[in-house]
Amino acid sequence: GNRHMQKAIVLAQICLYAAVLIPFFSDQILGLSGTSVGVYGWLIALTGPLGCLVLCELCKPITAYQMRQYQKRLASMRPSAENGDSSAKADAGRGDDK
Protein backbone atom coordinates (compact mmCIF):
# COMPACT_ATOMS: atom_id res chain seq x y z
CA GLY A 1 0.00 0.00 0.00
CA ASN A 2 0.86 3.67 -0.16
CA ARG A 3 2.74 4.56 3.06
CA HIS A 4 1.95 8.25 2.88
CA MET A 5 -1.76 7.60 2.45
CA GLN A 6 -1.76 5.20 5.41
CA LYS A 7 -0.01 7.81 7.55
CA ALA A 8 -2.56 10.42 6.48
CA ILE A 9 -5.46 8.11 7.41
CA VAL A 10 -3.98 7.37 10.84
CA LEU A 11 -3.35 11.07 11.45
CA ALA A 12 -6.93 11.92 10.42
CA GLN A 13 -8.29 9.30 12.83
CA ILE A 14 -6.12 10.64 15.67
CA CYS A 15 -7.36 14.18 14.98
CA LEU A 16 -10.95 12.96 14.87
CA TYR A 17 -10.70 11.21 18.23
CA ALA A 18 -8.85 14.17 19.74
CA ALA A 19 -11.56 16.56 18.54
CA VAL A 20 -14.29 14.36 19.97
CA LEU A 21 -12.66 13.37 23.26
CA ILE A 22 -10.52 16.31 24.51
CA PRO A 23 -12.52 18.04 27.27
CA PHE A 24 -13.45 21.71 26.75
CA PHE A 25 -12.24 21.59 23.13
CA SER A 26 -14.83 19.01 22.14
CA ASP A 27 -17.82 20.21 24.15
CA GLN A 28 -17.34 23.96 24.54
CA ILE A 29 -15.55 24.92 21.32
CA LEU A 30 -16.77 22.30 18.83
CA GLY A 31 -20.08 21.52 20.55
CA LEU A 32 -19.53 17.76 20.44
CA SER A 33 -20.34 15.17 23.07
CA GLY A 34 -18.26 12.16 22.14
CA THR A 35 -18.54 10.45 25.48
CA SER A 36 -22.34 10.35 25.38
CA VAL A 37 -22.84 8.57 22.03
CA GLY A 38 -22.48 5.14 23.62
CA VAL A 39 -21.20 1.89 22.17
CA TYR A 40 -23.66 1.93 19.26
CA GLY A 41 -22.51 5.41 18.22
CA TRP A 42 -18.85 4.41 18.32
CA LEU A 43 -19.56 1.25 16.29
CA ILE A 44 -21.33 3.32 13.67
CA ALA A 45 -18.45 5.81 13.66
CA LEU A 46 -15.92 3.01 13.12
CA THR A 47 -17.82 1.52 10.18
CA GLY A 48 -16.87 4.53 8.02
CA PRO A 49 -13.11 3.93 8.04
CA LEU A 50 -13.62 0.17 7.88
CA GLY A 51 -15.94 0.55 4.89
CA CYS A 52 -13.40 2.80 3.19
CA LEU A 53 -10.68 0.20 3.73
CA VAL A 54 -12.82 -2.61 2.31
CA LEU A 55 -13.90 -0.63 -0.75
CA CYS A 56 -10.33 0.48 -1.48
CA GLU A 57 -9.06 -3.08 -1.27
CA LEU A 58 -11.87 -4.29 -3.55
CA CYS A 59 -10.98 -1.65 -6.13
CA LYS A 60 -7.29 -2.61 -6.31
CA PRO A 61 -7.83 -5.63 -8.61
CA ILE A 62 -10.06 -3.56 -10.89
CA THR A 63 -7.42 -0.85 -11.16
CA ALA A 64 -4.67 -3.42 -11.75
CA TYR A 65 -6.71 -4.96 -14.59
CA GLN A 66 -7.31 -1.53 -16.15
CA MET A 67 -3.60 -0.71 -15.94
CA ARG A 68 -2.64 -4.02 -17.61
CA GLN A 69 -5.13 -3.44 -20.42
CA TYR A 70 -3.83 0.09 -20.99
CA GLN A 71 -0.21 -1.08 -21.03
CA LYS A 72 -1.11 -3.83 -23.54
CA ARG A 73 -2.78 -1.25 -25.76
CA LEU A 74 0.26 1.01 -25.57
CA ALA A 75 2.59 -1.89 -26.35
CA SER A 76 0.52 -2.92 -29.36
CA MET A 77 0.62 0.63 -30.76
CA ARG A 78 4.34 1.11 -30.17
CA PRO A 79 5.69 -0.97 -33.10
CA SER A 80 3.39 0.67 -35.66
CA ALA A 81 4.15 4.15 -34.28
CA GLU A 82 7.91 3.55 -34.60
CA ASN A 83 7.48 2.67 -38.29
CA GLY A 84 5.99 6.08 -38.98
CA ASP A 85 2.35 5.02 -39.11
CA SER A 86 0.53 8.28 -38.38
CA SER A 87 -2.85 6.59 -37.82
CA ALA A 88 -1.51 4.73 -34.76
CA LYS A 89 -0.22 8.01 -33.34
CA ALA A 90 -3.58 9.68 -33.90
CA ASP A 91 -5.47 6.78 -32.28
CA ALA A 92 -3.16 6.64 -29.23
CA GLY A 93 -4.85 9.52 -27.46
CA ARG A 94 -8.45 8.54 -28.15
CA GLY A 95 -8.81 6.09 -25.24
CA ASP A 96 -11.35 3.78 -26.88
CA ASP A 97 -10.81 0.04 -27.29
CA LYS A 98 -10.81 -1.44 -30.76
Side-chain angles (χ1 to χ4, degrees):
N2 186 342
R3 269 188 185 200
H4 298 293
M5 183 59 76
Q6 292 169 350
K7 287 178 185 178
I9 291 169
V10 169
L11 183 61
Q13 288 296 307
I14 290 170
C15 291
L16 169 74
Y17 296 129
V20 172
L21 296 174
I22 293 175
F24 186 74
F25 181 66
S26 65
D27 56 355
Q28 299 297 316
I29 296 174
L30 298 177
L32 302 172
S33 55
T35 56
S36 65
V37 295
V39 174
Y40 179 73
W42 281 102
L43 288 175
I44 294 297
L46 291 174
T47 58
L50 184 62
C52 181
L53 173 71
V54 169
L55 288 174
C56 287
E57 292 301 319
L58 289 175
C59 287
K60 283 182 180 180
I62 297 168
T63 303
Y65 172 76
Q66 290 172 334
M67 287 173 43
R68 282 193 306 272
Q69 293 301 103
Y70 179 70
Q71 291 299 324
K72 283 181 188 177
R73 190 170 66 219
L74 286 179
S76 69
M77 288 189 292
R78 199 167 291 134
S80 59
E82 289 173 356
N83 292 334
D85 185 3
S86 61
S87 64
K89 290 178 185 176
D91 290 341
R94 288 193 5 217
D96 58 344
D97 288 329
K98 292 182 180 181

